[in-house]
């Protein structure tokens, strides 16, 4: 499994956890709030994860493709 796939799976899981936590805290909101907050959190997690991996590879001077 590629690193980007692992980051995507962890982002989706984190987004679901955040949406579930929001539902636990306030279950009276419209369903769009849970979906929107979870999606925005997952998108941010994914974006930062990709940037982190790229910066780490550049810092280590490892620019070869990884699988």
């Amino acid at each position: 499994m590629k690193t980007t796939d692992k980051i995507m799976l962890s982002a989706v899981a984190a987004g679901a956890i955040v949406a579930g936590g929001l539902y636990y805290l306030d279950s009276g909101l419209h369903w769009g709030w849970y979906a929107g907050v979870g999606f925005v959190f997952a998108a941010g997690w994914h974006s930062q994860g990709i940037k982190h991996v790229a910066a780490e590879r550049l810092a280590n001077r490892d620019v070869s493709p990884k699988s």
Side-chain angles (χ1 to χ4, degrees):
M1 182 179 273
K2 292 170 51 174
T3 304
T4 53
D5 296 337
K6 292 177 185 177
I7 293 171
M8 177 58 77
L9 287 175
S10 68
V12 169
I17 290 170
V18 168
L22 181 61
Y23 180 78
Y24 177 76
L25 292 175
D26 189 4
S27 61
L29 295 175
H30 185 268
W31 66 267
W33 278 100
Y34 309 118
V37 168
F39 177 76
V40 168
F41 189 85
W45 182 292
H46 182 261
S47 174
Q48 291 303 315
I50 296 295
K51 288 178 186 176
H52 175 73
V53 168
E56 189 174 282
R57 283 189 186 164
L58 284 175
N60 293 335
R61 301 276 186 214
D62 183 14
V63 292
S64 61
K66 299 286 183 183
S67 58

